Amino acid sequence: MCLKRCILSNMKKIKATILSLPMRIQYTILITIAIVLLISSVITVNYAHNKDNMINTQIKNESAILALELENVEQYIRDLISFSVQTRFDTRFMRLIESNTALPEQEIEYLKEVMKGNYYTRNDLLSLGLYMKNQNMYIGRDYKKQHFNVLEQISLNEEDKNAFLECNNSDYYMCILPSDREDTLCTFYHSIIQIDNRSSNAIIKADIKKTVVNKLLTSPLENGKFAVICYDNKLLFSGNSRLINSDNVLPEASDFAEGYSYITLQHEKYLVNYAKGNSYNVSIMSFTPYSAVTANLRELMWLSLLQ
């Protein structure tokens, strides 16, 4: 109440002062006020218009970039699938992995050489292995070791068992699991199936280097922007693990009816663009700080005066 009375009192004083001035000066003051109000309204309208245009442009450009990056990811998965099934054309290899009898040493050595040769055709793998169900044998190169080893009578861990089942139930006979290692993007599994009955007695397992992301995500990540890659709603990669990690609840596809949404992370607002693949259950999200999107609005506000 005290503040209201103070404001009213000051307004009355200003009014009295203006009325005491000559009529010519009163007209000048009124015209000046009208011009200021007109300019303010023009600035406000232009500001809002430019703001909407700038955000829509950001959304459109980011959506186009995500579509290209998503194609990169899907093409990379297609390439991994082709790599994993190339041994199907090796009749000796297929005969050995489908055998129900113990393999002689020379045949095991042959399988080892095939896997070793396949591994050295690529530079994106930390490890590569072959598990043969009938032999209960694993032939592979561990990411910590330089040589291919043969492990017999092994017991698959729960993760590998689940991956085996998931591959057999997948339309593409594959699955991708997140990794908790700093140098690993993900672990890729692919079943080697028999064409006649579509059953699988062997599975390929490969740990993918995290540096692959640099080739898949091509847009510049600056001003706090970062990207996230998911497979089957599981987080594979986060460009900012402090804000988005496996312990967070990721935005769902239903949150992106128009391909974008807004989200607040640790008290900062983000514009989130979303793209999901058609061939595989892969999705990419880009998180751009809203403050970065609207960083040029002040300049636009002053430029609007010159338009």
Side-chain angles (χ1 to χ4, degrees):
M1 289 294 294
C2 181
L3 177 62
K4 184 177 180 180
R5 286 197 300 269
C6 183
I7 292 174
L8 291 174
S9 175
N10 288 332
M11 289 181 65
K12 288 179 180 179
K13 290 180 180 179
I14 293 172
K15 181 179 179 181
T17 301
I18 292 175
L19 292 176
S20 66
L21 296 173
M23 189 64 67
R24 178 172 57 82
I25 296 178
Q26 290 184 38
Y27 283 145
T28 301
I29 292 174
L30 289 175
I31 292 172
T32 301
I33 292 174
I35 291 173
V36 169
L37 291 175
L38 178 62
I39 292 175
S40 297
S41 62
V42 169
I43 290 175
T44 302
V45 170
N46 283 344
Y47 177 87
H49 177 72
N50 288 330
K51 177 183 177 182
D52 291 341
N53 283 344
M54 186 172 61
I55 292 175
N56 289 335
T57 299
Q58 171 74 18
I59 292 170
K60 183 178 178 180
N61 291 343
E62 195 61 35
S63 296
I65 291 171
L66 279 188
L68 293 174
E69 293 179 336
L70 185 60
E71 176 57 31
N72 289 343
V73 174
E74 290 193 317
Q75 180 57 50
Y76 183 72
I77 293 175
R78 283 191 287 270
D79 181 55
L80 285 175
I81 292 174
S82 297
F83 169 75
S84 300
V85 300
Q86 62 182 327
T87 51
R88 281 216 53 82
F89 301 103
D90 185 333
T91 54
R92 183 180 177 185
F93 183 93
M94 293 301 297
R95 175 175 56 81
L96 295 175
I97 68 171
E98 293 170 5
S99 174
N100 289 307
T101 59
L103 298 178
E105 186 63 33
Q106 65 268 25
E107 299 290 37
I108 295 176
E109 192 62 29
Y110 175 77
L111 292 173
K112 199 161 116 177
E113 288 302 313
V114 170
M115 293 302 295
K116 186 188 299 184
N118 289 348
Y119 172 80
Y120 285 111
T121 62
R122 304 180 67 98
N123 60 7
D124 58 340
L125 306 181
L126 284 169
S127 67
L128 178 66
L130 167 71
Y131 172 73
M132 293 177 288
K133 183 179 179 182
N134 291 344
Q135 302 293 327
N136 196 19
M137 179 184 294
Y138 181 84
I139 299 175
R141 177 192 188 277
D142 188 87
Y143 73 99
K144 293 180 180 179
K145 301 175 182 178
Q146 296 297 320
H147 304 291
F148 273 75
N149 298 304
V150 177
L151 302 176
E152 300 184 64
Q153 301 302 315
I154 69 167
S155 297
L156 291 179
N157 58 42
E158 285 302 313
E159 183 176 80
D160 288 343
K161 285 180 182 178
N162 293 335
F164 206 122
L165 292 174
E166 189 173 336
C167 285
N168 291 337
N169 294 326
S170 165
D171 292 337
Y172 299 97
Y173 301 98
M174 55 153 274
C175 79
I176 302 174
L177 297 182
S179 174
D180 56 5
R181 295 201 302 269
E182 285 295 324
D183 58 352
T184 307
L185 173 62
C186 61
T187 301
F188 176 86
Y189 298 83
H190 195 284
S191 292
I192 302 178
I193 63 169
Q194 299 182 49
I195 298 299
D196 52 353
N197 58 15
R198 317 302 287 179
S199 64
S200 171
N201 290 319
I203 189 169
I204 295 289
K205 176 182 178 180
D207 289 318
I208 311 301
K209 293 179 181 178
K210 185 168 283 188
T211 52
V212 167
V213 170
N214 298 330
K215 297 179 181 179
L216 302 178
L217 304 180
T218 56
S219 64
L221 302 178
E222 53 191 13
N223 298 322
K225 176 185 171 183
F226 65 95
V228 165
I229 302 176
C230 297
Y231 173 79
D232 198 21
N233 298 322
K234 296 186 288 283
L235 179 66
L236 297 184
F237 170 79
S238 172
N240 189 329
S241 57
R242 180 178 60 85
L243 295 178
I244 297 292
N245 54 62
S246 57
D247 296 327
N248 298 137
V249 177
L250 282 166
E252 298 181 358
S254 57
D255 298 327
F256 300 96
E258 299 180 5
Y260 72 94
S261 184
Y262 294 100
I263 188 173
T264 300
L265 299 171
Q266 294 189 9
H267 311 296
E268 183 168 6
K269 185 178 180 180
Y270 284 82
L271 168 64
V272 187
N273 285 79
Y274 174 87
K276 184 174 182 179
N278 296 317
S279 300
Y280 310 103
N281 197 14
V282 180
S283 60
I284 302 181
M285 286 175 268
S286 66
F287 292 72
T288 306
Y290 190 76
S291 58
V293 177
T294 59
N296 296 325
L297 281 180
R298 286 186 179 180
E299 293 182 21
L300 289 174
M301 182 177 67
W302 290 112
L303 287 174
S304 65
L305 290 172
L306 305 177
Q307 295 177 350

